[in-house]
Amino acid sequence: MSNVTLVKTSLRAGVWEGELSLADPAADMPELQVTCLDVPVAGHTLTETPDRAGTYVFQFTIPTDALNDGISTFLFTDGATGDRLGSCTVFAGEDINDDMRAELDLMRSELDMLKRAFRRHCMETGAA
């Protein structure tokens, strides 16, 4: 378990902001890393909150070149431990709703197929 906690506070004008807290306020400033598809992404800052020891403001500007049709997920990790602290997922493109609905329809049909097979199994084995 990480000694670092990151909680989202806002997303405005393409800037994801969160509050990062250390379990030990006397510890050094952590090294946060941002990746998208395992590729490091620049554009983030970590600023210490002067009136609260061990608390920092983390800001990440979502890069426009990382926005494409589909889903983009940015992972925030602790550089020292590799622990995942949070994420930001962005959906873009007009076809995203159709893609998600098609995937949901496929999952529903597979679930219905499994339910029928399970019921048939119960009938054949005499299970109630």
Side-chain angles (χ1 to χ4, degrees), residues 27-74:
D28 292 334
M29 180 184 283
E31 177 189 337
L32 237 64
Q33 296 177 340
V34 179
T35 57
C36 181
L37 298 173
D38 292 328
V39 176
V41 179
H44 61 279
T45 59
L46 192 59
T47 310
E48 189 169 11
T49 307
D51 57 336
R52 294 173 55 206
T55 304
Y56 300 84
V57 174
F58 172 69
Q59 292 184 320
F60 169 64
T61 302
I62 300 169
T64 56
D65 61 339
L67 297 177
N68 302 300
D69 282 340
I71 301 171
S72 299
T73 301
F74 302 93

Short mmCIF file of all heavy atoms in Angstrom, two decimals, residues 27-74:
data_model
loop_
_atom_site.label_atom_id
_atom_site.label_comp_id
_atom_site.label_asym_id
_atom_site.label_seq_id
_atom_site.Cartn_x
_atom_site.Cartn_y
_atom_site.Cartn_z
N ALA A 27 8.12 13.46 5.03
CA ALA A 27 8.75 12.79 3.87
C ALA A 27 9.01 13.79 2.76
O ALA A 27 8.40 14.86 2.69
CB ALA A 27 7.86 11.67 3.38
N ASP A 28 9.93 13.45 1.87
CA ASP A 28 10.26 14.30 0.73
C ASP A 28 9.10 14.34 -0.25
O ASP A 28 8.26 13.45 -0.29
CB ASP A 28 11.50 13.78 0.01
CG ASP A 28 12.76 13.92 0.85
OD1 ASP A 28 12.79 14.82 1.72
OD2 ASP A 28 13.69 13.13 0.65
N MET A 29 9.10 15.39 -1.09
CA MET A 29 8.09 15.53 -2.12
C MET A 29 8.15 14.32 -3.04
O MET A 29 9.23 13.94 -3.50
CB MET A 29 8.34 16.81 -2.93
CG MET A 29 7.31 17.02 -4.04
SD MET A 29 7.66 18.46 -5.08
CE MET A 29 7.13 19.78 -4.05
N PRO A 30 7.03 13.69 -3.30
CA PRO A 30 7.02 12.49 -4.15
C PRO A 30 7.26 12.85 -5.61
O PRO A 30 7.09 13.98 -6.03
CB PRO A 30 5.62 11.92 -3.94
CG PRO A 30 4.80 13.10 -3.56
CD PRO A 30 5.70 14.03 -2.81
N GLU A 31 7.65 11.83 -6.37
CA GLU A 31 7.83 11.99 -7.81
C GLU A 31 6.64 11.33 -8.50
O GLU A 31 6.53 10.10 -8.52
CB GLU A 31 9.13 11.32 -8.26
CG GLU A 31 9.35 11.39 -9.74
CD GLU A 31 10.51 10.53 -10.19
OE1 GLU A 31 11.39 10.23 -9.38
OE2 GLU A 31 10.50 10.15 -11.37
N LEU A 32 5.75 12.14 -9.02
CA LEU A 32 4.58 11.61 -9.71
C LEU A 32 4.89 11.42 -11.19
O LEU A 32 5.58 12.25 -11.79
CB LEU A 32 3.41 12.58 -9.56
CG LEU A 32 2.16 11.97 -8.94
CD1 LEU A 32 2.45 11.55 -7.53
CD2 LEU A 32 1.03 12.92 -8.97
N GLN A 33 4.40 10.33 -11.74
CA GLN A 33 4.58 10.06 -13.16
C GLN A 33 3.21 9.93 -13.80
O GLN A 33 2.29 9.37 -13.21
CB GLN A 33 5.38 8.78 -13.37
CG GLN A 33 6.79 8.88 -12.85
CD GLN A 33 7.56 7.58 -13.00
OE1 GLN A 33 6.99 6.52 -13.16
NE2 GLN A 33 8.87 7.68 -12.95
N VAL A 34 3.11 10.44 -15.03
CA VAL A 34 1.87 10.33 -15.80
C VAL A 34 2.19 9.56 -17.07
O VAL A 34 3.17 9.86 -17.76
CB VAL A 34 1.31 11.72 -16.16
CG1 VAL A 34 0.03 11.59 -16.97
CG2 VAL A 34 1.07 12.54 -14.91
N THR A 35 1.37 8.54 -17.37
CA THR A 35 1.57 7.75 -18.58
C THR A 35 0.24 7.57 -19.30
O THR A 35 -0.83 7.61 -18.69
CB THR A 35 2.16 6.37 -18.29
OG1 THR A 35 1.30 5.68 -17.37
CG2 THR A 35 3.56 6.47 -17.71
N CYS A 36 0.33 7.35 -20.60
CA CYS A 36 -0.82 6.98 -21.42
C CYS A 36 -0.33 5.88 -22.34
O CYS A 36 0.63 6.08 -23.10
CB CYS A 36 -1.31 8.20 -22.22
SG CYS A 36 -2.75 7.84 -23.24
N LEU A 37 -0.92 4.71 -22.24
CA LEU A 37 -0.49 3.52 -22.99
C LEU A 37 0.99 3.23 -22.71
O LEU A 37 1.77 2.95 -23.61
CB LEU A 37 -0.72 3.71 -24.49
CG LEU A 37 -2.18 3.89 -24.91
CD1 LEU A 37 -2.28 4.23 -26.38
CD2 LEU A 37 -2.99 2.65 -24.58
N ASP A 38 1.38 3.32 -21.45
CA ASP A 38 2.74 3.06 -20.98
C ASP A 38 3.79 4.03 -21.53
O ASP A 38 4.98 3.76 -21.44
CB ASP A 38 3.17 1.62 -21.29
CG ASP A 38 2.39 0.61 -20.47
OD1 ASP A 38 2.02 0.95 -19.33
OD2 ASP A 38 2.15 -0.50 -20.96
N VAL A 39 3.35 5.14 -22.10
CA VAL A 39 4.27 6.17 -22.60
C VAL A 39 4.20 7.36 -21.66
O VAL A 39 3.10 7.86 -21.37
CB VAL A 39 3.88 6.60 -24.04
CG1 VAL A 39 4.76 7.72 -24.53
CG2 VAL A 39 3.93 5.41 -24.98
N PRO A 40 5.35 7.84 -21.16
CA PRO A 40 5.33 9.01 -20.27
C PRO A 40 4.73 10.24 -20.95
O PRO A 40 4.96 10.47 -22.14
CB PRO A 40 6.80 9.24 -19.95
CG PRO A 40 7.48 7.95 -20.26
CD PRO A 40 6.69 7.30 -21.36
N VAL A 41 3.95 10.98 -20.19
CA VAL A 41 3.29 12.18 -20.70
C VAL A 41 3.73 13.36 -19.83
O VAL A 41 3.67 13.30 -18.61
CB VAL A 41 1.75 12.03 -20.64
CG1 VAL A 41 1.07 13.28 -21.15
CG2 VAL A 41 1.30 10.82 -21.43
N ALA A 42 4.17 14.43 -20.48
CA ALA A 42 4.58 15.64 -19.77
C ALA A 42 3.35 16.52 -19.53
O ALA A 42 2.27 16.24 -20.02
CB ALA A 42 5.63 16.39 -20.58
N GLY A 43 3.55 17.59 -18.79
CA GLY A 43 2.47 18.56 -18.59
C GLY A 43 1.84 18.52 -17.22
O GLY A 43 0.68 18.87 -17.07
N HIS A 44 2.59 18.08 -16.22
CA HIS A 44 2.02 18.06 -14.88
C HIS A 44 2.93 18.80 -13.90
O HIS A 44 4.14 18.91 -14.12
CB HIS A 44 1.76 16.63 -14.39
CG HIS A 44 2.99 15.77 -14.31
ND1 HIS A 44 3.52 15.14 -15.42
CD2 HIS A 44 3.77 15.43 -13.28
CE1 HIS A 44 4.59 14.45 -15.05
NE2 HIS A 44 4.75 14.62 -13.75
N THR A 45 2.31 19.32 -12.85
CA THR A 45 3.05 20.03 -11.81
C THR A 45 2.60 19.52 -10.45
O THR A 45 1.47 19.07 -10.28
CB THR A 45 2.82 21.56 -11.86
OG1 THR A 45 1.42 21.82 -11.71
CG2 THR A 45 3.32 22.15 -13.17
N LEU A 46 3.49 19.62 -9.49
CA LEU A 46 3.22 19.24 -8.11
C LEU A 46 3.72 20.38 -7.25
O LEU A 46 4.92 20.67 -7.23
CB LEU A 46 3.94 17.93 -7.78
CG LEU A 46 3.57 17.23 -6.49
CD1 LEU A 46 2.09 16.87 -6.46
CD2 LEU A 46 4.39 15.98 -6.31
N THR A 47 2.80 21.06 -6.57
CA THR A 47 3.13 22.23 -5.79
C THR A 47 2.76 22.01 -4.34
O THR A 47 1.61 21.64 -4.04
CB THR A 47 2.37 23.47 -6.32
OG1 THR A 47 2.54 23.55 -7.73
CG2 THR A 47 2.85 24.73 -5.65
N GLU A 48 3.71 22.23 -3.44
CA GLU A 48 3.45 22.04 -2.02
C GLU A 48 2.48 23.10 -1.51
O GLU A 48 2.56 24.27 -1.88
CB GLU A 48 4.76 22.10 -1.23
CG GLU A 48 4.59 21.69 0.22
CD GLU A 48 5.92 21.48 0.92
OE1 GLU A 48 6.96 21.85 0.37
OE2 GLU A 48 5.89 20.94 2.04
N THR A 49 1.56 22.68 -0.66
CA THR A 49 0.62 23.60 -0.02
C THR A 49 1.31 24.15 1.22
O THR A 49 1.61 23.40 2.15
CB THR A 49 -0.68 22.87 0.36
OG1 THR A 49 -1.19 22.21 -0.78
CG2 THR A 49 -1.71 23.83 0.90
N PRO A 50 1.60 25.45 1.24
CA PRO A 50 2.42 26.01 2.32
C PRO A 50 1.82 25.87 3.72
O PRO A 50 2.54 25.67 4.69
CB PRO A 50 2.57 27.49 1.96
CG PRO A 50 1.75 27.75 0.78
CD PRO A 50 1.19 26.46 0.28
N ASP A 51 0.51 25.94 3.85
CA ASP A 51 -0.10 25.90 5.18
C ASP A 51 -0.47 24.50 5.66
O ASP A 51 -0.98 24.34 6.76
CB ASP A 51 -1.33 26.81 5.21
CG ASP A 51 -2.36 26.44 4.16
OD1 ASP A 51 -1.99 25.82 3.15
OD2 ASP A 51 -3.54 26.78 4.35
N ARG A 52 -0.20 23.47 4.83
CA ARG A 52 -0.54 22.10 5.22
C ARG A 52 0.63 21.19 4.89
O ARG A 52 0.85 20.84 3.73
CB ARG A 52 -1.80 21.64 4.49
CG ARG A 52 -3.02 22.44 4.93
CD ARG A 52 -4.26 22.15 4.11
NE ARG A 52 -4.63 20.75 4.07
CZ ARG A 52 -5.31 20.22 3.08
NH1 ARG A 52 -5.68 20.94 2.05
NH2 ARG A 52 -5.61 18.94 3.10
N ALA A 53 1.36 20.77 5.89
CA ALA A 53 2.54 19.91 5.69
C ALA A 53 2.13 18.58 5.09
O ALA A 53 1.14 17.97 5.49
CB ALA A 53 3.26 19.69 7.02
N GLY A 54 2.90 18.12 4.10
CA GLY A 54 2.64 16.83 3.48
C GLY A 54 1.50 16.82 2.50
O GLY A 54 1.06 15.76 2.06
N THR A 55 1.01 18.01 2.11
CA THR A 55 -0.09 18.12 1.16
C THR A 55 0.37 18.93 -0.05
O THR A 55 1.01 19.96 0.10
CB THR A 55 -1.32 18.78 1.81
OG1 THR A 55 -1.69 18.02 2.96
CG2 THR A 55 -2.49 18.82 0.86
N TYR A 56 0.03 18.42 -1.24
CA TYR A 56 0.45 19.06 -2.48
C TYR A 56 -0.74 19.20 -3.42
O TYR A 56 -1.70 18.44 -3.35
CB TYR A 56 1.52 18.21 -3.19
CG TYR A 56 2.76 17.99 -2.35
CD1 TYR A 56 2.80 16.96 -1.41
CD2 TYR A 56 3.88 18.79 -2.51
CE1 TYR A 56 3.92 16.75 -0.64
CE2 TYR A 56 5.01 18.58 -1.74
CZ TYR A 56 5.02 17.55 -0.81
OH TYR A 56 6.14 17.36 -0.05
N VAL A 57 -0.63 20.17 -4.32
CA VAL A 57 -1.62 20.32 -5.39
C VAL A 57 -0.99 19.75 -6.65
O VAL A 57 0.10 20.16 -7.06
CB VAL A 57 -2.01 21.80 -5.61
CG1 VAL A 57 -2.91 21.93 -6.82
CG2 VAL A 57 -2.67 22.36 -4.37
N PHE A 58 -1.66 18.76 -7.24
CA PHE A 58 -1.19 18.12 -8.46
C PHE A 58 -2.07 18.60 -9.61
O PHE A 58 -3.29 18.52 -9.53
CB PHE A 58 -1.29 16.60 -8.33
CG PHE A 58 -1.00 15.85 -9.60
CD1 PHE A 58 0.28 15.82 -10.13
CD2 PHE A 58 -2.01 15.20 -10.28
CE1 PHE A 58 0.55 15.13 -11.31
CE2 PHE A 58 -1.75 14.51 -11.45
CZ PHE A 58 -0.47 14.47 -11.97
N GLN A 59 -1.44 19.13 -10.65
CA GLN A 59 -2.18 19.58 -11.83
C GLN A 59 -1.62 18.89 -13.06
O GLN A 59 -0.40 18.82 -13.23
CB GLN A 59 -2.10 21.09 -12.00
CG GLN A 59 -2.84 21.84 -10.92
CD GLN A 59 -2.83 23.34 -11.17
OE1 GLN A 59 -1.83 23.90 -11.59
NE2 GLN A 59 -3.95 23.98 -10.90
N PHE A 60 -2.52 18.40 -13.89
CA PHE A 60 -2.14 17.73 -15.13
C PHE A 60 -2.93 18.32 -16.28
O PHE A 60 -4.16 18.27 -16.28
CB PHE A 60 -2.41 16.22 -15.03
CG PHE A 60 -2.28 15.50 -16.33
CD1 PHE A 60 -1.06 15.42 -17.00
CD2 PHE A 60 -3.38 14.90 -16.91
CE1 PHE A 60 -0.95 14.76 -18.21
CE2 PHE A 60 -3.27 14.22 -18.12
CZ PHE A 60 -2.05 14.16 -18.76
N THR A 61 -2.22 18.90 -17.23
CA THR A 61 -2.85 19.45 -18.42
C THR A 61 -2.96 18.34 -19.46
O THR A 61 -1.95 17.78 -19.88
CB THR A 61 -2.04 20.63 -18.98
OG1 THR A 61 -1.91 21.62 -17.96
CG2 THR A 61 -2.72 21.23 -20.20
N ILE A 62 -4.19 18.03 -19.84
CA ILE A 62 -4.41 16.96 -20.82
C ILE A 62 -3.89 17.43 -22.17
O ILE A 62 -4.36 18.43 -22.70
CB ILE A 62 -5.90 16.59 -20.90
CG1 ILE A 62 -6.38 16.10 -19.52
CG2 ILE A 62 -6.16 15.55 -21.97
CD1 ILE A 62 -7.87 15.95 -19.40
N PRO A 63 -2.90 16.73 -22.74
CA PRO A 63 -2.35 17.16 -24.02
C PRO A 63 -3.32 16.91 -25.18
O PRO A 63 -3.89 15.83 -25.28
CB PRO A 63 -1.08 16.32 -24.17
CG PRO A 63 -1.29 15.14 -23.29
CD PRO A 63 -2.24 15.54 -22.21
N THR A 64 -3.49 17.92 -26.01
CA THR A 64 -4.44 17.79 -27.12
C THR A 64 -4.00 16.73 -28.12
O THR A 64 -4.85 16.10 -28.76
CB THR A 64 -4.63 19.13 -27.85
OG1 THR A 64 -3.37 19.62 -28.28
CG2 THR A 64 -5.28 20.14 -26.92
N ASP A 65 -2.69 16.50 -28.26
CA ASP A 65 -2.24 15.49 -29.22
C ASP A 65 -2.53 14.07 -28.74
O ASP A 65 -2.42 13.12 -29.52
CB ASP A 65 -0.76 15.66 -29.55
CG ASP A 65 0.15 15.51 -28.34
OD1 ASP A 65 -0.34 15.67 -27.21
OD2 ASP A 65 1.34 15.24 -28.54
N ALA A 66 -2.94 13.91 -27.49
CA ALA A 66 -3.28 12.59 -26.97
C ALA A 66 -4.78 12.30 -27.09
O ALA A 66 -5.24 11.21 -26.77
CB ALA A 66 -2.86 12.46 -25.51
N LEU A 67 -5.54 13.29 -27.56
CA LEU A 67 -6.98 13.12 -27.71
C LEU A 67 -7.29 12.66 -29.12
O LEU A 67 -6.98 13.34 -30.10
CB LEU A 67 -7.72 14.43 -27.42
CG LEU A 67 -7.58 14.96 -26.00
CD1 LEU A 67 -8.29 16.29 -25.86
CD2 LEU A 67 -8.08 13.97 -24.98
N ASN A 68 -7.89 11.50 -29.23
CA ASN A 68 -8.25 10.90 -30.51
C ASN A 68 -9.62 10.26 -30.37
O ASN A 68 -10.17 10.20 -29.27
CB ASN A 68 -7.23 9.82 -30.89
CG ASN A 68 -5.82 10.38 -30.97
OD1 ASN A 68 -5.56 11.26 -31.76
ND2 ASN A 68 -4.93 9.87 -30.14
N ASP A 69 -10.18 9.79 -31.48
CA ASP A 69 -11.43 9.05 -31.40
C ASP A 69 -11.22 7.85 -30.48
O ASP A 69 -10.23 7.14 -30.58
CB ASP A 69 -11.87 8.53 -32.76
CG ASP A 69 -12.49 9.61 -33.63
OD1 ASP A 69 -12.92 10.63 -33.06
OD2 ASP A 69 -12.54 9.43 -34.85
N GLY A 70 -12.14 7.68 -29.56
CA GLY A 70 -12.06 6.54 -28.65
C GLY A 70 -11.78 7.00 -27.23
O GLY A 70 -12.16 8.09 -26.82
N ILE A 71 -11.07 6.16 -26.51
CA ILE A 71 -10.82 6.39 -25.09
C ILE A 71 -9.33 6.58 -24.86
O ILE A 71 -8.51 5.81 -25.35
CB ILE A 71 -11.32 5.19 -24.25
CG1 ILE A 71 -12.82 4.99 -24.48
CG2 ILE A 71 -11.03 5.39 -22.78
CD1 ILE A 71 -13.36 3.71 -23.89
N SER A 72 -9.00 7.62 -24.10
CA SER A 72 -7.61 7.85 -23.67
C SER A 72 -7.59 7.83 -22.15
O SER A 72 -8.35 8.55 -21.51
CB SER A 72 -7.10 9.21 -24.17
OG SER A 72 -7.11 9.27 -25.57
N THR A 73 -6.73 7.00 -21.58
CA THR A 73 -6.62 6.92 -20.12
C THR A 73 -5.21 7.31 -19.71
O THR A 73 -4.23 6.76 -20.21
CB THR A 73 -6.94 5.50 -19.63
OG1 THR A 73 -8.26 5.16 -20.04
CG2 THR A 73 -6.85 5.41 -18.11
N PHE A 74 -5.15 8.25 -18.80
CA PHE A 74 -3.88 8.72 -18.25
C PHE A 74 -3.76 8.17 -16.84
O PHE A 74 -4.67 8.35 -16.02
CB PHE A 74 -3.82 10.25 -18.23
CG PHE A 74 -4.02 10.85 -19.60
CD1 PHE A 74 -5.28 11.23 -20.02
CD2 PHE A 74 -2.94 11.01 -20.45
CE1 PHE A 74 -5.47 11.77 -21.29
CE2 PHE A 74 -3.12 11.55 -21.72
CZ PHE A 74 -4.39 11.93 -22.13
#
